[in-house]
Amino acid sequence: MDAHGEIARTIDNYRDKVVALSHEIHEHPELKFQEVFAAGLLTKAASELGLEVEREVGGLKTAFRAEFGGKGPTVAILAEYDALPNGHSCGHNLIAGAALSAVAGLKSIASQLPGRIVFIGTPAEEGGGGKIILIEKGAMRGVDAAMMAHPTDMEFCTMPALATQHLRLTFHGRGAHAALAPWDGSSALSAVLQTFQSDDAMRLHLRDGSRIHGIITDGGQAVNIIPVRTECMFLARGKTSKYTKEIAERVLRCAEGAAMATGTRVEHEVIGGYKNLINNLSMARRYATHSEALGVKSLEAPADTPTGSTDMGDVSHVMPAIHPSFKIANRGEGNCHEDAFVAHADSKRGYDAMIRVAKAMAMTAYDLLAEPELLASAKKEFEARKES
Ligand SMILES: [Zn+2]
């Protein structure tokens, strides 16, 4: 059997259907955990492929799971489909389309598969950590390796995504008339401003590639009252989860220092965080080989590649995983989360890339099932790097 050829033919034949589906998702952007429309379309399409779909997996209304194949190891193909307040500016409609197409390709040879494929719908990548919840609820138990692919303005078979810690800081001051008796007050806003300044001073001492960025979510109650309560949020990012925790602790110390200096009190809450992405090179290189054969070189991302964060990082800490980036826009013409990227996520270029990536993923998944030494090498590498 020419498995790769059959996969490619099936995905080509599936193109019109999956492009229409991906476009529909694009036209109905839904925020994290609210992806009812997208999950509905994807589960319907999976059922039409003959899959038995489990809905509301892990207690998440918009998560789903479908499994097929024969005896042997199991590879998961993950779909994301949540949007941002400015629409599908992260192109998750293409991630969903690529995953579904890959599954369609593999389903066409299901009876000859030397293992199992799991199609998992993972909600809320944008700040909700759907994959973390699914891991905790056991939805990824028994899976040997996982993959997904994300559109950007770069083409790479790896993505050095950073770990994050999301902090909320609340300051409590003492209110007073801002003109009549300011000496009776202590400003919770001054504490926020000092926190930002201390963080800026601290940046110099962070390791390369680290990030701290924050916003003020409550700046006070009225201009003529010394602010009694203020709130700000920070994201700390770093190359490893351990170091990111250290950065978040430094941000907290800046806040405590600011509170002391301004006579206020600070409370903090760790809202959540993602782990850094450990790119499994055994898998990524095989994916790159298929991508190149399909006409597009997908190199390993250099260490200083600009990057964000993803809950796929958490998946990569429990099993071998890849998260290649595929290019749907030129540099400078809009990248992820920018308004301009919304149009790229619904373009012919985007859909062409989605189909090619679907083939490369499906062929890689097939190879992991059909070549025990490839999966063994992915697992060996995972074991050696999992604490990083
Ligand atoms: Zn994204």
Side-chain angles (χ1 to χ4, degrees), residues 80 82 84 89-92 95 125-126 148 150-152 309-310 323 336-337 341:
E80 293 175 0
D82 57 328
L84 286 153
S89 59
C90 208
H92 292 188
I95 298 177
E125 187 280 327
E126 298 291 355
M148 59 167 285
H150 197 302
T152 64
S309 306
T310 166
H323 180 287
C336 297
H337 295 201
F341 203 72

Short mmCIF file of all heavy atoms in Angstrom, two decimals, residues 80 82 84 89-92 95 125-126 148 150-152 309-310 323 336-337 341, ligand 1:
data_model
loop_
_atom_site.label_atom_id
_atom_site.label_comp_id
_atom_site.label_asym_id
_atom_site.label_seq_id
_atom_site.Cartn_x
_atom_site.Cartn_y
_atom_site.Cartn_z
N GLU A 80 -7.34 23.34 17.36
CA GLU A 80 -7.73 24.53 18.14
C GLU A 80 -8.73 25.28 17.27
O GLU A 80 -8.64 25.21 16.03
CB GLU A 80 -6.52 25.44 18.41
CG GLU A 80 -5.50 24.83 19.34
CD GLU A 80 -4.24 25.69 19.50
OE1 GLU A 80 -4.17 26.78 18.88
OE2 GLU A 80 -3.33 25.26 20.22
N ASP A 82 -10.51 28.44 18.86
CA ASP A 82 -10.98 29.66 19.53
C ASP A 82 -10.42 30.90 18.83
O ASP A 82 -9.40 30.84 18.15
CB ASP A 82 -10.61 29.65 21.02
CG ASP A 82 -9.12 29.50 21.27
OD1 ASP A 82 -8.42 28.83 20.47
OD2 ASP A 82 -8.62 30.05 22.27
N LEU A 84 -10.02 35.48 19.08
CA LEU A 84 -9.69 36.58 20.00
C LEU A 84 -10.76 37.67 19.82
O LEU A 84 -11.58 37.59 18.90
CB LEU A 84 -8.30 37.11 19.65
CG LEU A 84 -7.16 36.18 20.10
CD1 LEU A 84 -5.93 36.35 19.24
CD2 LEU A 84 -6.83 36.43 21.57
N SER A 89 -7.74 36.29 14.54
CA SER A 89 -6.44 36.94 14.30
C SER A 89 -5.28 36.02 14.67
O SER A 89 -4.12 36.41 14.58
CB SER A 89 -6.35 38.24 15.10
OG SER A 89 -6.51 37.96 16.48
N CYS A 90 -5.59 34.79 15.12
CA CYS A 90 -4.50 33.84 15.36
C CYS A 90 -4.65 32.64 14.41
O CYS A 90 -3.89 31.68 14.48
CB CYS A 90 -4.45 33.40 16.82
SG CYS A 90 -2.79 32.91 17.35
N GLY A 91 -5.65 32.71 13.53
CA GLY A 91 -5.79 31.69 12.48
C GLY A 91 -6.11 30.30 12.99
O GLY A 91 -5.77 29.30 12.33
N HIS A 92 -6.79 30.19 14.12
CA HIS A 92 -7.08 28.85 14.64
C HIS A 92 -8.08 28.09 13.76
O HIS A 92 -8.17 26.87 13.85
CB HIS A 92 -7.56 28.93 16.09
CG HIS A 92 -6.48 29.37 17.05
ND1 HIS A 92 -6.62 29.37 18.42
CD2 HIS A 92 -5.22 29.82 16.82
CE1 HIS A 92 -5.50 29.80 18.99
NE2 HIS A 92 -4.65 30.09 18.04
N ILE A 95 -5.88 25.93 11.90
CA ILE A 95 -5.38 24.81 12.73
C ILE A 95 -6.43 23.70 12.72
O ILE A 95 -6.11 22.51 12.53
CB ILE A 95 -5.11 25.27 14.18
CG1 ILE A 95 -4.03 26.35 14.22
CG2 ILE A 95 -4.76 24.09 15.07
CD1 ILE A 95 -3.76 26.91 15.60
N GLU A 125 -7.23 27.88 23.67
CA GLU A 125 -5.77 28.04 23.74
C GLU A 125 -5.42 29.46 24.17
O GLU A 125 -4.42 29.68 24.83
CB GLU A 125 -5.14 27.72 22.36
CG GLU A 125 -3.61 27.69 22.38
CD GLU A 125 -2.95 29.05 22.31
OE1 GLU A 125 -3.50 29.95 21.67
OE2 GLU A 125 -1.88 29.22 22.93
N GLU A 126 -6.28 30.40 23.78
CA GLU A 126 -6.00 31.82 24.07
C GLU A 126 -6.36 32.17 25.51
O GLU A 126 -7.39 32.77 25.81
CB GLU A 126 -6.78 32.73 23.10
CG GLU A 126 -6.40 32.56 21.64
CD GLU A 126 -4.99 33.06 21.30
OE1 GLU A 126 -4.32 33.62 22.19
OE2 GLU A 126 -4.57 32.85 20.16
N MET A 148 0.21 19.26 16.23
CA MET A 148 -0.69 20.25 15.64
C MET A 148 0.20 21.22 14.88
O MET A 148 1.43 21.13 14.97
CB MET A 148 -1.48 21.00 16.72
CG MET A 148 -0.60 21.74 17.72
SD MET A 148 -1.52 22.90 18.75
CE MET A 148 -1.84 24.25 17.61
N HIS A 150 0.49 25.52 13.49
CA HIS A 150 -0.06 26.86 13.72
C HIS A 150 0.37 27.83 12.62
O HIS A 150 1.56 27.91 12.31
CB HIS A 150 0.43 27.37 15.08
CG HIS A 150 -0.35 28.52 15.61
ND1 HIS A 150 -0.49 29.71 14.91
CD2 HIS A 150 -1.05 28.67 16.74
CE1 HIS A 150 -1.26 30.53 15.62
NE2 HIS A 150 -1.60 29.92 16.73
N PRO A 151 -0.55 28.60 12.03
CA PRO A 151 -0.16 29.59 11.02
C PRO A 151 0.52 30.81 11.65
O PRO A 151 0.13 31.24 12.74
CB PRO A 151 -1.49 30.01 10.39
CG PRO A 151 -2.51 29.78 11.47
CD PRO A 151 -2.01 28.61 12.28
N THR A 152 1.54 31.32 10.97
CA THR A 152 2.20 32.57 11.39
C THR A 152 2.75 33.22 10.11
O THR A 152 2.31 32.89 9.02
CB THR A 152 3.40 32.33 12.35
OG1 THR A 152 4.41 31.58 11.64
CG2 THR A 152 3.01 31.57 13.58
N SER A 309 3.51 31.91 23.38
CA SER A 309 3.36 30.79 24.29
C SER A 309 2.10 30.04 23.90
O SER A 309 1.22 30.58 23.26
CB SER A 309 3.23 31.29 25.73
OG SER A 309 4.32 32.13 26.04
N THR A 310 2.03 28.78 24.31
CA THR A 310 0.88 27.95 23.95
C THR A 310 0.70 26.83 24.97
O THR A 310 1.69 26.35 25.55
CB THR A 310 1.06 27.33 22.54
OG1 THR A 310 0.10 26.29 22.36
CG2 THR A 310 2.44 26.75 22.33
N HIS A 323 4.77 21.25 17.08
CA HIS A 323 3.88 22.39 16.86
C HIS A 323 4.53 23.25 15.77
O HIS A 323 5.00 24.35 16.04
CB HIS A 323 3.77 23.14 18.19
CG HIS A 323 2.89 24.35 18.20
ND1 HIS A 323 3.25 25.54 17.59
CD2 HIS A 323 1.68 24.59 18.77
CE1 HIS A 323 2.29 26.43 17.78
NE2 HIS A 323 1.33 25.88 18.50
N CYS A 336 0.34 37.05 13.93
CA CYS A 336 -0.67 36.61 14.88
C CYS A 336 -1.11 37.71 15.85
O CYS A 336 -0.28 38.45 16.37
CB CYS A 336 -0.13 35.44 15.70
SG CYS A 336 0.25 34.02 14.70
N HIS A 337 -2.39 37.76 16.11
CA HIS A 337 -3.07 38.67 17.04
C HIS A 337 -3.23 40.08 16.48
O HIS A 337 -3.88 40.92 17.10
CB HIS A 337 -2.38 38.72 18.42
CG HIS A 337 -2.44 37.41 19.15
ND1 HIS A 337 -2.29 37.28 20.52
CD2 HIS A 337 -2.64 36.14 18.70
CE1 HIS A 337 -2.39 36.01 20.86
NE2 HIS A 337 -2.60 35.29 19.77
N PHE A 341 -3.97 40.05 10.40
CA PHE A 341 -3.82 38.60 10.27
C PHE A 341 -5.17 37.91 10.04
O PHE A 341 -5.22 36.78 9.53
CB PHE A 341 -3.13 38.02 11.51
CG PHE A 341 -2.44 36.70 11.28
CD1 PHE A 341 -1.28 36.62 10.53
CD2 PHE A 341 -2.96 35.52 11.81
CE1 PHE A 341 -0.64 35.39 10.31
CE2 PHE A 341 -2.33 34.29 11.61
CZ PHE A 341 -1.17 34.24 10.85
ZN ZN B 1 -2.73 30.85 18.25
#
